[in-house]
């Protein structure tokens, strides 16, 4: 099996049946297996610390049923146009001071357009890169040329989530297709940018849907370098406002299965930490999560602040991962 042109035992040929068998193991057995894979392939005890900033908030044309930023739902989100470069850099500096090594800028866009705002985002990418942070963006769909321009500006990673399985997808989003999503991921990959793609649980999907999404991610030609696992943050005014909260065991099952399928990938315990206590988060780290978002806000919803997370790191003996660390090292064991 080759990945990055190297011989490794990283598999991209998982079958649905194999994934189902892993996902459905007794949960404690699953955690032990994932912890073993984690130990073999990752520096256990190291957690990547990322910070999000919404550089353009709300007013989005899409109908993503979970999203507080879709213009068609009344969520009371504080809509604003593209931030100024200085505001973004000030926020990036604060993130760095708070111990963050990756700074991710999000825009409530359906897709990138070749206009002045994109030029400004390219400047933001340059500016944040100059601060020595890994820069990530999540701006919606991008074409090949736009991905290349982002890469030239110094973009390190691009986030574009599959969100759910192909089967469940049209119950959540109707204004763009699963293939559109895969196309963007492909464009990002071709431009040589690190791929960040995962999804959300708690959207009313079945276990089969969760397994299906993991199947798509783990059978891409090359695994994403990072896979965010978000728990739905139900926001009042969205169609999913009354969805029940996902249990920690569902998060653990998702994270552990992702870890076993994609051993070298950073698995991010993303949205939903605000509702989890330290014990629950510890279970997720044990199951193979090795990345989080810090800072008091995700894009529009609350998140534990730097101090709370510092206390959690101290308690659990975790340390922040250094920036620009090779994400797909050749296997040495
Ligand atoms: N507009 C761009 C897009 O859709 O790709 C970028 C921003 S969008 C808010 C980024 C991701 O945030 C979504 O794909 C989704 O996975 C996640 N997200 C949005 N709202 C969420 C919520 N309420 N709970 C959990 N995750 C959410
Ligand atoms: C990801 O998978 N989760 C982040 C990031 N990528 C862009 C976003 C979570 C958003 C949660 C809802 C909000 O704060 O608006
Ligand atoms: Fe728009 Fe992105 Fe929210 Fe969908 S997830 S409504 S594309 S901001």
């Amino acid at each position: 099996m080759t990945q990055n042109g190297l011989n490794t035992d990283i598999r991209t040929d998982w079958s649905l049946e194999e994934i189902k068998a892993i996902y459905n193991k007794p949960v404690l057995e699953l955690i032990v297996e994932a912890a073993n894979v984690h130990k073999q392939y990752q520096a256990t005890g190291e957690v990547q610390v990322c910070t999000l900033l919404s550089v353009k908030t709300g007013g989005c044309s899409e109908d993503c049923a979970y999203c507080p930023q879709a213009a068609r739902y009344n969520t009371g989100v504080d809509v604003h146009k593209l931030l100024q470069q200085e505001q973004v850099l000030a926020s990036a500096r604060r993130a760095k001071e708070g111990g963050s090594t990756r700074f991710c800028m999000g825009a409530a866009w359906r897709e990138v357009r070749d206009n002045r705002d994109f030029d400004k985002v390219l400047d933001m990418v340059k500016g944040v890169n100059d601060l020595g942070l890994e820069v990530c963006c999540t701006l919606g769909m991008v074409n090949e040329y736009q991905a290349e321009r982002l890469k030239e500006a110094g973009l390190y990673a691009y986030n574009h989530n599959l969100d759910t399985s192909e089967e469940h997808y049209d119950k959540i989003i109707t204004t763009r297709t699963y293939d559109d999503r895969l196309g963007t991921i492909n464009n990002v990959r071709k431009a040589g940018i690190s791929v960040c793609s995962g999804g959300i649980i708690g959207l009313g999907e079945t276990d089969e849907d969760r397994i299906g999404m993991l199947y798509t991610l783990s059978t891409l030609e090359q695994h994403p370098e990072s896979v965010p696992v978000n728990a739905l943050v139900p926001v009042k005014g969205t169609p999913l406002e009354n969805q029940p909260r996902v249990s920690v065991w569902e998060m653990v099952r998702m994270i552990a299965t992702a870890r076993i399928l994609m051993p070298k990938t950073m698995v991010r315990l993303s949205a939903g930490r605000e509702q989890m206590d330290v014990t629950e988060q510890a279970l997720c780290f044990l199951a193979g999560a090795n990345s989080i978002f810090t800072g008091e806000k995700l894009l529009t919803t609350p998140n534990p602040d730097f101090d709370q997370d510092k206390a959690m790191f101290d308690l659990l003996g975790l340390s922040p991962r250094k920036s620009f660390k090779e994400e797909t090292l050749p296997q040495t064991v």
Side-chain angles (χ1 to χ4, degrees), residues 192-203:
I193 297 168
S194 179
V195 172
C196 171
S197 185
I200 312 176
I201 62 170
L203 304 173

Side-chain angles (χ1 to χ4, degrees), residues 73 158 168 240 243:
Y73 314 134
Y158 195 84
H168 193 62
L240 298 180
Q243 276 297 114

